[in-house]
């Protein structure tokens, strides 16, 4: 049985344990064992030591997994959660197959403009409030480094949700 690591900002939900338990049950119904960041053992009490232990446990869980499935919906802004982004990159570097899902596959500049204030710029692109051009306009829906990590790992970015990716995985088996 292949093991899936579930990456995403769900760990920040007030009912995270419930949401992740349901996700693990869904994965099991498709014949996969699922692990989440909550499956690590964290015992340190000091804040930075605890954070370091969470990091090491999550990396270890990804190492033990065959596949990573990442929730790539915008989190606290217009882009993928930064911890999830790290997990995607780490999994790619470890030669894991990586899939992501999101519920909006408009091109990234359109997603950004719908989430944060922008204004026109002389370049023809729009600019955000911090002065950065919204110019990653290649037809991708998330940062190109993330999307192409998935593609080059043998995975893909899927319009839908976790179940959509699990259905796709079954057709690829």
């Amino acid at each position: 049985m292949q093991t899936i690591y579930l990456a995403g900002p769900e760990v920040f939900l007030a009912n995270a344990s419930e949401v992740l338990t349901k996700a693990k049950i869904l994965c099991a119904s498709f014949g996969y064992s699922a692990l989440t960041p909550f499956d690590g053992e964290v015992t340190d009490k000091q804040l930075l030591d605890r954070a370091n232990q969470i990091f090491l446990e999550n990396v270890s869980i990804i190492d033990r997994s065959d596949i990573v499935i990442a929730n790539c919906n915008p989190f606290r802004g217009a882009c993928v959660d930064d911890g999830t982004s790290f997990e995607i990159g780490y999994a790619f570097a470890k030669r894991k197959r990586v899939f992501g899902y999101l519920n909006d596959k408009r091109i990234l500049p359109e997603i950004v403009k719908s989430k944060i204030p922008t204004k026109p710029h002389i370049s023809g692109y729009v600019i955000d409030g911090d002065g950065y051009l919204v110019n990653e306009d290649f037809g991708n829906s998330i940062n190109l480094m993330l999307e192409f990590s998935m593609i080059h790992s043998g995975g893909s970015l899927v319009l839908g949700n976790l179940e959509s990716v699990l259905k796709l995985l079954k057709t690829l088996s």
Side-chain angles (χ1 to χ4, degrees):
M1 176 182 292
Q2 288 193 305
T3 302
I4 293 172
Y5 177 83
L6 299 172
E10 290 83 359
V11 296
F12 299 110
L13 293 170
N15 62 339
S17 292
E18 177 187 336
V19 168
L20 293 173
T21 297
K22 286 180 181 178
K24 290 170 99 173
I25 292 168
L26 179 63
C27 289
S29 75
F30 280 84
Y32 297 98
S33 172
L35 297 170
T36 75
F38 283 5
D39 289 314
E41 185 177 336
V42 179
T43 57
D44 284 329
K45 302 294 184 222
Q46 298 296 327
L47 289 181
L48 280 177
D49 292 338
R50 185 174 180 80
N52 183 54
Q53 192 174 25
I54 290 168
F55 167 79
L56 293 172
E57 287 291 320
N58 289 357
V59 164
S60 174
I61 296 167
I62 293 170
D63 287 342
R64 296 192 318 262
S65 299
D66 302 298
I67 300 167
V68 170
I69 299 177
N71 176 347
C72 294
N73 286 297
F75 176 70
R76 295 185 178 149
C79 297
V80 178
D81 166 56
D82 50 358
T84 302
S85 297
F86 168 81
E87 291 166 328
I88 291 167
Y90 180 79
F92 174 78
K94 298 299 276 190
R95 302 196 185 282
K96 309 289 181 180
R97 200 158 56 152
V98 184
F99 291 84
Y101 62 88
L102 71 169
N103 57 21
D104 184 351
K105 278 196 86 173
R106 289 179 292 158
I107 60 171
L108 187 55
E110 293 303 317
I111 293 170
V112 171
K113 287 189 279 185
S114 74
K115 298 285 184 178
I116 64 171
T118 61
K119 61 185 177 187
H121 184 265
I122 191 168
S123 67
Y125 294 104
V126 297
I127 196 165
D128 69 19
D130 292 323
Y132 292 100
L133 293 171
V134 181
N135 63 346
E136 189 172 328
D137 193 2
F138 303 109
N140 47 306
S141 299
I142 60 174
N143 178 281
L144 67 90
M145 299 300 284
L146 300 175
E147 192 159 351
F148 285 97
S149 291
M150 292 174 203
I151 292 167
H152 289 284
S153 78
S156 63
L157 181 62
V158 175
L159 178 62
N161 55 24
L162 174 60
E163 186 172 4
S164 306
V165 176
L166 293 168
K167 287 178 180 176
L168 174 62
L169 277 172
K170 277 302 175 189
T171 66
L172 299 175
S173 298

